Amino acid sequence: METDRGVVLATERYGSAESWKYFAKDEVMERRRDGREGESRGNSIVGVFKTVFLPQGYPESVSDDYLHYQFWDTLQAFSSSLSGTLATQASLKGVGVGNQEATVAAATVTWILRDGTGMLGRILFAWHKGSKLDSEAKKWRLFADVLNDIAMFVEILAPYFPAFFTLIVCTAGVFKSLVGVAGGATRAALTVHQARRDNMADISAKDGSQETLVNLAGLLVSLMLIPLVTDNTILTLSLFFLFTVLHLFANYKAVRSVVMETFNEARLSIVLQQYVRDGQILSPLEANQREPVFFELRKTVPIRLGVRLQEVVQSPEELNLALKENNMPYLLGVRNGCVCVCLGPEASVRDEIRAMCQAVWLSNTLSPPTQQQQSPWEIVHESHKLMDKIFNPFLKGVEAAGWDVKRTLLDWDEWRVEWKTKTN
């Protein structure tokens, strides 16, 4: 190919950001950029910013919701930084900074107690809720930020109750320890979602750079705020509530902007119910927009996945009932107000999705708890027949709609059971 610049020898590009051509003219090779000049990655202000703060290969190397999420995440981090300054000032005042009668030993003991209770809270929370943080990352991310704001509010009020100051700051320390576990774990879960080239480390590093820049900006603003709020309770509380409202709003928008293509219980339930109702398959965007991001008082029969055999059946007769109409590597039963699923060791991800679909249908059918005309086992048998009829077209539909069915975020426990196909 020959142009007025010479013969085109080669072309190269840097993702979707830059495109270059090599020309040969008068036995000299020259490299020229396609399109507008002066926007090369690393050779302009915008280019330097992208290199420093965005993952390599952006936007192809991250999920489509990355930029929207990071915008709101940056805004919430900035407002949280300012709220944290007000809380820190109150804590320092409470332990005696500026008070000649306060002792270093008393302040140190208070700080040690706060940190110690926080460490215990971190261990207990990770033990009790660790497995839930992947499957319900949005809810726990929002929970962490709400709890963080509550902890900072408690710290601001602590100096006004000197008799209970140590108890109050220890309580705030426990809250913040829960925030650390839930916030850190859900951030990791969201990073897995955003990483489209196995580039989790790069995304995490750049997220850290973004947060550091925001905290630096918050530090500069805080330096201007501190002289204004010192010994001014009304202004301190007013600014805190302003920053808290901004923080919670930004967090809500951030989790709402995340569009996950893998099924958890909530997203699968939303898609399945829509399909059973009118045959429509919701896209990941539509289902994520309907997914609840706040914890709710459960209105449906709870579902327990991967339980022990005795939590599904408790006699040979019940095992035969569980196997009736069922040729799948899982057993379902209704016991103690829960839909329980017992999984076989050979079950695939497809089987897990089908079992969850069946459990969701059972849960919705049995909710709210009313006087049932049929026995629970009869309803279980109906669910097997329904899945035999609808599951294959449903699975093809969700794959075509863009859902990832090769893995799930369903909250399975580790019990796996092998059973006889028939008992006497």
Side-chain angles (χ1 to χ4, degrees):
M1 178 179 177
E2 188 170 352
T3 67
D4 56 348
R5 294 180 175 180
V7 179
V8 178
L9 297 177
T11 61
E12 65 182 6
R13 64 186 180 90
Y14 190 94
S16 61
E18 302 177 29
S19 179
W20 297 79
K21 289 182 178 179
Y22 289 87
F23 297 91
K25 191 172 184 180
D26 299 331
E27 298 184 356
V28 176
M29 188 166 71
E30 181 181 0
R31 181 174 182 260
R32 290 180 179 271
R33 176 182 169 86
D34 274 355
R36 293 172 293 179
E37 301 292 336
E39 295 184 6
S40 175
R41 181 180 177 97
N43 293 332
S44 67
I45 295 177
V46 174
V48 170
F49 182 87
K50 288 182 178 180
T51 303
V52 175
F53 294 104
L54 294 178
Q56 181 176 320
Y58 171 86
E60 289 84 4
S61 62
V62 295
S63 59
D64 293 338
D65 54 19
Y66 177 83
L67 189 61
H68 195 188
Y69 172 82
Q70 292 301 126
F71 170 79
W72 290 111
D73 187 55
T74 297
L75 184 59
Q76 70 85 18
F78 178 73
S79 55
S80 180
S81 176
L82 298 180
S83 299
T85 297
L86 300 177
T88 299
Q89 185 190 41
S91 295
L92 293 175
K93 180 180 178 181
V95 297
V97 174
N99 183 357
Q100 294 181 352
E101 297 180 359
T103 64
V104 174
T108 302
V109 169
T110 299
W111 226 252
I112 291 174
L113 289 174
R114 188 195 71 160
D115 290 346
T117 52
M119 292 173 188
L120 290 175
R122 187 177 298 114
I123 293 171
L124 293 174
F125 181 75
W127 162 66
H128 189 56
K129 291 294 184 181
S131 63
K132 304 288 185 183
L133 301 179
D134 282 302
S135 58
E136 297 183 327
K138 296 182 186 180
K139 289 182 179 180
W140 284 108
R141 174 61 196 271
L142 200 55
F143 165 84
D145 288 296
V146 171
L147 191 61
N148 188 50
D149 288 333
I150 294 174
M152 289 190 290
F153 181 61
V154 168
E155 287 181 334
I156 288 176
L157 293 182
Y160 302 100
F161 302 91
F164 303 98
F165 179 80
T166 300
L167 176 62
I168 293 174
V169 296
C170 286
T171 302
V174 172
F175 288 173
K176 286 194 171 184
S177 71
L178 306 188
V179 171
V181 175
T186 54
R187 183 183 294 273
L190 293 175
T191 301
V192 171
H193 158 69
Q194 292 172 338
R196 295 306 160 96
R197 291 183 181 173
D198 294 325
N199 55 339
M200 289 176 54
D202 185 27
I203 291 177
S204 297
K206 296 302 169 59
D207 184 67
S209 296
Q210 295 168 21
E211 187 169 347
T212 301
L213 180 64
V214 171
N215 288 336
L216 285 172
L219 181 63
L220 294 176
V221 176
S222 298
L223 290 175
M224 294 184 288
L225 285 180
I226 289 174
L228 300 176
V229 300
T230 302
D231 299 325
N232 191 331
T233 304
I234 295 178
L235 182 58
T236 298
L237 292 175
S238 299
L239 288 175
F240 176 79
F241 282 119
L242 174 64
F243 297 146
T244 298
V245 170
L246 179 61
H247 178 237
L248 294 178
F249 175 75
N251 268 294
Y252 175 79
K253 296 292 287 185
V255 297
R256 271 292 178 210
S257 70
V258 175
V259 180
M260 289 188 168
E261 300 90 358
T262 47
F263 283 126
N264 65 358
E265 180 179 335
R267 291 190 288 273
L268 183 56
S269 177
I270 291 167
V271 176
L272 179 67
Q273 289 184 63
Q274 185 71 43
Y275 180 76
V276 171
R277 188 180 304 120
D278 58 17
Q280 178 187 358
I281 298 290
L282 297 178
S283 68
L285 176 61
E286 292 170 326
N288 276 267
Q289 289 175 340
R290 299 187 188 184
E291 181 185 4
V293 294
F294 293 102
F295 287 103
E296 305 169 304
L297 293 175
R298 186 175 288 273
K299 300 177 182 178
T300 59
V301 174
I303 298 172
R304 300 180 60 199
L305 303 174
V307 300
R308 295 172 294 179
L309 180 63
Q310 68 181 28
E311 296 182 58
V312 177
V313 299
Q314 294 187 337
S315 69
E317 181 183 359
E318 284 195 330
L319 180 56
N320 286 333
L321 289 172
L323 291 169
K324 184 180 179 181
E325 307 289 347
N326 178 20
N327 58 356
M328 302 303 298
Y330 58 81
L331 303 175
L332 286 98
V334 180
R335 187 167 301 280
N336 299 325
C338 295
V339 176
C340 299
V341 184
C342 184
L343 197 65
E346 72 277 14
S348 64
V349 174
R350 175 191 174 98
D351 296 327
E352 291 179 2
I353 294 175
R354 173 168 170 150
M356 189 66 197
C357 287
Q358 202 165 335
V360 165
W361 185 85
L362 281 169
S363 175
N364 291 327
T365 301
L366 295 169
S367 302
T370 56
Q371 186 68 32
Q372 299 288 338
Q373 298 297 322
Q374 299 171 289
S375 73
W377 284 116
E378 289 175 325
I379 300 176
V380 170
H381 299 155
E382 283 187 10
S383 71
H384 286 301
K385 295 177 182 178
L386 177 67
M387 286 301 116
D388 288 339
K389 179 180 179 181
I390 72 168
F391 182 72
N392 286 337
F394 172 75
L395 191 65
K396 291 180 180 178
V398 296
E399 284 188 275
W403 290 96
D404 180 3
V405 296
K406 295 179 181 178
R407 62 187 184 93
T408 69
L409 292 173
L410 301 174
D411 188 24
W412 289 94
D413 206 345
E414 295 303 310
W415 292 103
R416 298 295 181 268
V417 182
E418 294 186 61
W419 53 84
K420 292 183 178 181
T421 56
K422 187 70 175 176
T423 62
N424 294 322

